[in-house]
Short mmCIF file of all heavy atoms in Angstrom, two decimals:
data_model
loop_
_atom_site.label_atom_id
_atom_site.label_comp_id
_atom_site.label_asym_id
_atom_site.label_seq_id
_atom_site.Cartn_x
_atom_site.Cartn_y
_atom_site.Cartn_z
N LEU H 101 -11.15 -10.60 22.99
CA LEU H 101 -10.26 -9.61 23.60
C LEU H 101 -10.94 -8.89 24.75
O LEU H 101 -10.36 -8.68 25.81
CB LEU H 101 -9.90 -8.56 22.55
CG LEU H 101 -8.50 -8.65 21.99
CD1 LEU H 101 -8.31 -7.57 20.96
CD2 LEU H 101 -7.49 -8.51 23.10
N ARG H 102 -12.20 -8.53 24.51
CA ARG H 102 -12.95 -7.84 25.56
C ARG H 102 -13.13 -8.76 26.76
O ARG H 102 -13.04 -8.32 27.90
CB ARG H 102 -14.30 -7.37 25.02
CG ARG H 102 -14.23 -5.90 24.70
CD ARG H 102 -15.59 -5.34 24.36
NE ARG H 102 -15.53 -4.84 22.99
CZ ARG H 102 -16.27 -5.27 22.00
NH1 ARG H 102 -17.14 -6.23 22.19
NH2 ARG H 102 -16.15 -4.75 20.82
N ALA H 103 -13.31 -10.06 26.48
CA ALA H 103 -13.46 -11.02 27.59
C ALA H 103 -12.16 -11.04 28.40
O ALA H 103 -12.19 -10.99 29.64
CB ALA H 103 -13.78 -12.39 27.03
N MET H 104 -11.01 -11.08 27.68
CA MET H 104 -9.71 -11.08 28.39
C MET H 104 -9.57 -9.83 29.25
O MET H 104 -9.14 -9.89 30.41
CB MET H 104 -8.56 -11.10 27.38
CG MET H 104 -8.24 -12.47 26.86
SD MET H 104 -7.15 -12.34 25.43
CE MET H 104 -5.67 -11.73 26.17
N GLN H 105 -9.94 -8.69 28.66
CA GLN H 105 -9.81 -7.43 29.39
C GLN H 105 -10.70 -7.41 30.62
O GLN H 105 -10.27 -7.04 31.71
CB GLN H 105 -10.17 -6.24 28.48
CG GLN H 105 -9.05 -5.88 27.54
CD GLN H 105 -9.48 -4.79 26.57
OE1 GLN H 105 -10.48 -4.94 25.86
NE2 GLN H 105 -8.75 -3.70 26.55
N SER H 106 -11.97 -7.85 30.44
CA SER H 106 -12.85 -7.74 31.61
C SER H 106 -12.49 -8.75 32.70
O SER H 106 -12.58 -8.42 33.88
CB SER H 106 -14.32 -7.80 31.25
OG SER H 106 -14.53 -8.60 30.17
N PHE H 107 -12.02 -9.96 32.30
CA PHE H 107 -11.63 -10.92 33.36
C PHE H 107 -10.35 -10.45 34.06
O PHE H 107 -10.20 -10.62 35.27
CB PHE H 107 -11.48 -12.33 32.78
CG PHE H 107 -12.80 -13.01 32.62
CD1 PHE H 107 -13.32 -13.31 31.37
CD2 PHE H 107 -13.58 -13.32 33.75
CE1 PHE H 107 -14.56 -13.91 31.22
CE2 PHE H 107 -14.83 -13.92 33.61
CZ PHE H 107 -15.32 -14.20 32.34
N ALA H 108 -9.45 -9.86 33.30
CA ALA H 108 -8.24 -9.33 33.94
C ALA H 108 -8.64 -8.23 34.92
O ALA H 108 -8.09 -8.14 36.04
CB ALA H 108 -7.30 -8.78 32.87
N HIS H 109 -9.61 -7.43 34.52
CA HIS H 109 -10.08 -6.34 35.38
C HIS H 109 -10.72 -6.90 36.66
O HIS H 109 -10.45 -6.43 37.77
CB HIS H 109 -11.09 -5.51 34.58
CG HIS H 109 -11.58 -4.31 35.30
ND1 HIS H 109 -10.76 -3.24 35.60
CD2 HIS H 109 -12.81 -4.01 35.82
CE1 HIS H 109 -11.45 -2.33 36.25
NE2 HIS H 109 -12.71 -2.78 36.40
N LEU H 110 -11.56 -7.96 36.46
CA LEU H 110 -12.21 -8.58 37.63
C LEU H 110 -11.18 -9.17 38.58
O LEU H 110 -11.27 -9.03 39.80
CB LEU H 110 -13.16 -9.70 37.17
CG LEU H 110 -14.49 -9.22 36.56
CD1 LEU H 110 -15.29 -10.39 36.03
CD2 LEU H 110 -15.29 -8.48 37.63
N LEU H 111 -10.17 -9.85 37.99
CA LEU H 111 -9.10 -10.43 38.81
C LEU H 111 -8.40 -9.35 39.62
O LEU H 111 -8.14 -9.50 40.82
CB LEU H 111 -8.06 -11.09 37.89
CG LEU H 111 -8.11 -12.59 37.72
CD1 LEU H 111 -7.04 -13.05 36.75
CD2 LEU H 111 -7.89 -13.29 39.06
N GLU H 112 -8.10 -8.23 38.94
CA GLU H 112 -7.41 -7.13 39.59
C GLU H 112 -8.24 -6.58 40.76
O GLU H 112 -7.72 -6.32 41.84
CB GLU H 112 -7.17 -6.01 38.57
CG GLU H 112 -5.71 -5.66 38.42
CD GLU H 112 -5.46 -4.75 37.23
OE1 GLU H 112 -6.42 -4.24 36.62
OE2 GLU H 112 -4.28 -4.56 36.91
N GLU H 113 -9.55 -6.45 40.51
CA GLU H 113 -10.43 -5.86 41.53
C GLU H 113 -10.66 -6.79 42.70
O GLU H 113 -10.57 -6.40 43.85
CB GLU H 113 -11.77 -5.52 40.90
CG GLU H 113 -11.73 -4.21 40.16
CD GLU H 113 -13.09 -3.56 40.03
OE1 GLU H 113 -14.10 -4.29 40.09
OE2 GLU H 113 -13.11 -2.33 39.86
N ASP H 114 -10.97 -8.07 42.41
CA ASP H 114 -11.43 -8.98 43.47
C ASP H 114 -10.35 -9.90 44.04
O ASP H 114 -10.50 -10.41 45.15
CB ASP H 114 -12.58 -9.86 42.94
CG ASP H 114 -13.75 -9.01 42.45
OD1 ASP H 114 -13.79 -7.83 42.86
OD2 ASP H 114 -14.56 -9.49 41.65
N TYR H 115 -9.30 -10.16 43.28
CA TYR H 115 -8.33 -11.16 43.75
C TYR H 115 -6.93 -10.59 43.92
O TYR H 115 -5.99 -11.33 44.20
CB TYR H 115 -8.29 -12.35 42.79
CG TYR H 115 -9.58 -13.13 42.77
CD1 TYR H 115 -10.62 -12.76 41.94
CD2 TYR H 115 -9.76 -14.22 43.65
CE1 TYR H 115 -11.82 -13.45 41.93
CE2 TYR H 115 -10.97 -14.91 43.65
CZ TYR H 115 -11.99 -14.53 42.78
OH TYR H 115 -13.18 -15.21 42.80
N SER H 116 -6.80 -9.31 43.75
CA SER H 116 -5.49 -8.69 43.82
C SER H 116 -4.78 -9.00 45.14
O SER H 116 -3.57 -9.29 45.17
CB SER H 116 -5.68 -7.18 43.63
OG SER H 116 -4.50 -6.56 43.47
N ALA H 117 -5.56 -8.98 46.24
CA ALA H 117 -4.98 -9.18 47.56
C ALA H 117 -4.41 -10.59 47.71
O ALA H 117 -3.49 -10.82 48.49
CB ALA H 117 -6.04 -8.94 48.61
N LYS H 118 -4.97 -11.54 46.94
CA LYS H 118 -4.50 -12.93 47.06
C LYS H 118 -3.25 -13.20 46.24
O LYS H 118 -2.69 -14.29 46.31
CB LYS H 118 -5.61 -13.89 46.60
CG LYS H 118 -6.81 -13.83 47.51
CD LYS H 118 -7.76 -14.93 47.20
CE LYS H 118 -8.92 -14.83 48.18
NZ LYS H 118 -10.10 -15.52 47.74
N LEU H 119 -2.87 -12.23 45.43
CA LEU H 119 -1.68 -12.43 44.59
C LEU H 119 -0.49 -11.71 45.19
O LEU H 119 -0.65 -10.70 45.89
CB LEU H 119 -1.93 -11.85 43.19
CG LEU H 119 -3.00 -12.52 42.34
CD1 LEU H 119 -3.28 -11.69 41.08
CD2 LEU H 119 -2.56 -13.92 41.93
N ASP H 120 0.72 -12.26 44.94
CA ASP H 120 1.91 -11.51 45.38
C ASP H 120 2.29 -10.50 44.28
O ASP H 120 1.62 -10.41 43.24
CB ASP H 120 3.06 -12.47 45.71
CG ASP H 120 3.47 -13.29 44.51
OD1 ASP H 120 2.99 -12.99 43.39
OD2 ASP H 120 4.27 -14.23 44.67
N ASP H 121 3.39 -9.78 44.47
CA ASP H 121 3.79 -8.73 43.52
C ASP H 121 4.00 -9.28 42.11
O ASP H 121 3.61 -8.67 41.12
CB ASP H 121 5.08 -8.05 43.99
CG ASP H 121 4.77 -7.07 45.11
OD1 ASP H 121 3.56 -6.85 45.35
OD2 ASP H 121 5.72 -6.55 45.73
N VAL H 122 4.64 -10.48 42.05
CA VAL H 122 4.90 -11.08 40.73
C VAL H 122 3.58 -11.38 40.03
O VAL H 122 3.38 -11.06 38.85
CB VAL H 122 5.76 -12.37 40.87
CG1 VAL H 122 6.01 -12.99 39.51
CG2 VAL H 122 7.07 -12.08 41.57
#
Side-chain angles (χ1 to χ4, degrees):
L101 254 179
R102 259 188 241 120
M104 278 167 68
Q105 281 175 305
S106 33
F107 280 113
H109 184 67
L110 285 174
L111 260 178
E112 238 169 10
E113 279 204 336
D114 302 341
Y115 295 87
S116 190
K118 294 190 179 161
L119 294 171
D120 60 9
D121 282 352
V122 179

